[in-house]
Structure formats: structure tokens, C-alpha cells
Amino acid sequence: MKISARNAIKATVKKIEPGSINTEVVLEIAPGVEITAIITKHSAETLGLAEGKEAYAVIKSTDVMVAVE
């Protein structure tokens, strides 16, 4: 896989919640550390996503914000 995005994080598909148009995909990048993505239902089907399957969380953003309490 070659991609221009700087952040491609290997993960495991933990949960898939299909909707009528979009699908919510929960990716576990480490035990207890999750990233949730909303993608089209068609994309989820085309990628062949399934719980337990390896996937990548690809993050492409021009801004990254940092906050503290």
C-alpha cells in the first residue's frame, strides 16, 4: 500500500455498525485504544471489512489540535 497521508495506523476491526447509507467502523489500534470512522456503506462492502480483520486508520488533516486541562 502506498499513500500520501502521513498517518496510517495499523489496527484491527473491532466493531461494524452498518446503517442505511453510512457504516460506523471501530478500529482498535492497541488494547483499549480505539478510533471510530464513518464511511459509506458501499466503501465498507468494497473493502470487505469484517470484525477481527486487519485494516488501517488513515488520517489526512491539515490541522492537528492539542488540548490540556
Side-chain angles (χ1 to χ4, degrees), residues 26-59:
V26 179
L27 300 171
E28 185 172 54
I29 59 174
V33 181
E34 300 173 352
I35 294 176
T36 302
I38 305 294
I39 62 175
T40 64
K41 184 176 180 180
H42 180 263
S43 291
E45 292 168 354
T46 300
L47 291 169
L49 295 179
E51 290 181 11
K53 186 174 181 177
E54 187 176 279
Y56 289 84
V58 180
I59 302 162

Side-chain angles (χ1 to χ4, degrees), residues 59-66:
I59 302 162
K60 176 94 173 163
S61 177
T62 57
D63 298 309
V64 176
M65 300 170 76
V66 178

Side-chain angles (χ1 to χ4, degrees), residues 4-41:
S4 65
R6 293 185 180 260
N7 300 298
I9 304 165
K10 189 182 269 189
T12 302
V13 178
K14 184 172 181 180
K15 183 177 172 186
I16 300 172
E17 288 288 333
S20 58
I21 297 173
N22 291 323
T23 297
E24 181 177 295
V25 182
V26 179
L27 300 171
E28 185 172 54
I29 59 174
V33 181
E34 300 173 352
I35 294 176
T36 302
I38 305 294
I39 62 175
T40 64
K41 184 176 180 180

